Amino acid sequence: AGAPLEHLDVVIVGAGLSGIGAAHHVRTDAPWASMAIFESRGAIGGTWDLFRYPGIRSDSDMYTLGYNFKPWLHNQVIANGRQIRNYIQEAAVEGGFQNKIHFGRKVVSASWSSETATWTLDVLNKSGETQQMSCNWLMMCSGYYNYEQGYTPEFKGRDDFKGQIFHPQFWPEQLDYAGKRV
């Protein structure tokens, strides 16, 4: 019947704000549980690591958006993306979750079995191989953005525009926009 599947009690999908928060609560409320965090990208921070355009900030105050186990201590309550990314990374380090995060791993399918009370997952790694594994509890903390291709609405006259067009999700880090109309 083949080799037994790797099995964990809990799999968390995403190492952003929600995923790191979920990991904290799993460890606090179920310290006996085996756990892994699968992050398809190569960094902690989710949305706040993906979006790097100038001026990005939260539209929610950090007292509401932040963790109940890690109070927001900065004076700036409506925080910018870098501050939020740092906050999430600090929470991951303080919680000791670095060894629980598996970067470059994307859950591509999940199938529930009521008979065994387990999820069977197909997990794609960065080399293109798919590994199958199982877990009892699957926490989807992957956010709502399509990380490969952000939504782009139809813009009438787009082909006639002579300037550069960038999706905020793929903002070029070295873009010099000084003195330009954006």
Side-chain angles (χ1 to χ4, degrees), residues 57 62-63 72-80 82-83:
R57 65 185 180 93
M62 287 306 295
Y63 300 129
W72 182 255
L73 301 176
H74 301 282
N75 291 333
Q76 190 173 0
V77 178
I78 302 294
N80 67 43
R82 181 187 46 77
Q83 290 172 313

Side-chain angles (χ1 to χ4, degrees), residues 122-135:
D122 289 326
V123 183
L124 183 67
N125 65 28
K126 52 188 158 196
S127 66
E129 298 171 34
T130 301
Q131 170 192 4
Q132 201 168 62
M133 62 171 304
S134 63
C135 65

Side-chain angles (χ1 to χ4, degrees), residues 17 29 42-43 45-46 53 55 65 69 76 84 97 104 109 114 130 137 141 151 153 155-157 164 169 173-174 182:
L17 187 71
D29 298 333
Y53 60 86
L65 185 65
F69 58 88
Q76 190 173 0
I84 299 169
F97 299 124
S109 72
S114 294
T130 301
W137 192 266
C141 300
Y151 172 73
F155 290 112
K156 186 176 181 178
Q164 295 176 300
Q169 189 165 315
E173 284 188 37
Q174 305 307 318
V182 178

Side-chain angles (χ1 to χ4, degrees), residues 20-33 35 68-69 95 97:
I20 299 303
H24 168 85
H25 289 290
V26 168
R27 192 191 58 221
T28 301
D29 298 333
W32 47 265
M35 169 179 53
N68 64 345
F69 58 88
F97 299 124

